[in-house]
Amino acid sequence: MFKKLRTVIYNVSDVQKAKAWYIDLTGNQPYFDEPFYVGFDFNGCELGLHPEDETVTRGNQSIAYWSVDNIEQCVQQLVKKGATILSDVTDVGGGIKAATVIDPWGNAVGLIEGA
């Protein structure tokens, strides 16, 4: 099911301040820079900055995303095994789909297809 760790997303209260902080920290410029998402590429692994929304609570500000081949099938399999859907499968553009489930122990597990 899981192919490799692909993306870590940090939910932040101020995307522009967080972007500036990570640029200063790493010396890298984002490869994708929009108000709804800022993406950095670090040797093939993505660090994403995402504005906080109603799904973010203390303790789930960051989510690691596992690369998968069939995201809909993976979500169904995880739900059958006791996970609950936090963010259902969403087309995030460029042929990429993402979803987040909560495992039975409360951990946010991200899934990403097409990245």
Side-chain angles (χ1 to χ4, degrees), residues 1-2 10 20 23 32 34 38-39 43 45 64 66 74 77 89 96 98 102:
M1 178 189 286
F2 297 155
Y10 295 158
I23 289 170
F32 188 87
E34 294 291 338
V38 174
N43 299 314
C45 189
W66 292 96
C74 289
Q77 186 174 358
V89 176
I96 300 169
I102 303 298

Side-chain angles (χ1 to χ4, degrees), residues 9 34-35 49 52 64 69 73 84 92 107 113:
I9 294 182
E34 294 291 338
L49 304 176
E52 290 179 345
D69 287 326
Q73 183 180 18
T84 57
V92 297
N107 298 297
E113 175 188 317

Side-chain angles (χ1 to χ4, degrees), residues 3 5 12 15-16 20 25 29-30 36-37 41 43-44 50 58 64 78-79 98 102 111 113:
K3 292 169 49 175
L5 190 59
V12 297
V15 172
Q16 294 305 309
L25 177 71
Q29 294 294 319
F36 58 89
Y37 187 83
D41 181 354
N43 299 314
H50 186 275
R58 182 71 48 196
L78 285 160
V79 168
I102 303 298
L111 305 170
E113 175 188 317

Side-chain angles (χ1 to χ4, degrees), residues 83-95:
T84 57
I85 296 172
L86 178 64
S87 299
D88 209 349
V89 176
T90 303
D91 184 334
V92 297

Side-chain angles (χ1 to χ4, degrees), residues 54-76:
E54 69 279 351
T55 66
V56 177
T57 57
R58 182 71 48 196
N60 80 344
Q61 295 97 323
S62 60
I63 301 171
Y65 283 78
W66 292 96
S67 176
V68 298
D69 287 326
N70 184 326
I71 195 165
E72 288 87 358
Q73 183 180 18
C74 289
V75 168
Q76 289 175 0

